[in-house]
Amino acid sequence: MLLSDYIEQALVKHDCAIVPGLGGFVVQRESARILEDKVLPPHSTVGFNPLLTHTDGQLAADIMRDKEISYKEADALLNEWVNEWQRVLEAGRAVDVGKIGTLQR
């Protein structure tokens, strides 16, 4: 699995995924709305907040359980992935975040 897969899983379970050193992905829910000629069903969008950089440890814990490695190893792997995303973003390119979409500066 890739970092984007772990982010997707965290959003399903917790409505939030904090990526240390990068930011937080947060599910934002909207209620159904009635317009003049149609009804819009309830839906969710994913927002990104670059100020949410302090880790809650959830992604590393998910990686640890999935890969059956220590928390320290999982945290190191997470940092490798984040550093690679940072390099891509700093180069002016977009990062593919799976079903969530793309992330760019």
Side-chain angles (χ1 to χ4, degrees):
M1 286 188 12
L2 302 172
L3 177 54
S4 59
D5 298 319
Y6 290 106
I7 292 170
E8 288 172 13
Q9 285 182 355
L11 289 172
V12 169
K13 286 192 272 186
H14 310 290
D15 289 344
C16 182
I18 306 298
V19 182
L22 186 68
F25 294 86
V26 181
V27 173
Q28 300 165 336
R29 301 193 189 288
E30 291 192 34
S31 299
R33 293 187 313 172
I34 299 174
L35 301 178
E36 288 181 20
D37 59 342
K38 60 185 167 184
V39 175
L40 297 177
H43 66 280
S44 299
T45 58
V46 176
F48 180 76
N49 185 338
L51 301 176
L52 298 174
T53 59
H54 184 69
T55 185
D56 60 358
Q58 189 61 53
L59 279 180
D62 290 345
I63 294 166
M64 175 189 75
R65 281 189 292 277
D66 181 61
K67 295 196 175 288
E68 298 180 350
I69 57 178
S70 71
Y71 183 87
K72 185 176 180 179
E73 292 169 315
D75 192 50
L77 179 57
L78 178 57
N79 285 326
E80 284 178 33
W81 284 336
V82 170
N83 289 337
E84 176 58 28
W85 281 20
Q86 291 284 19
R87 283 191 289 277
V88 170
L89 293 169
E90 288 170 7
R93 299 190 319 263
V95 172
D96 178 18
V97 191
K99 295 175 187 171
I100 298 165
T102 58
L103 184 65
Q104 61 189 22
R105 289 200 170 149

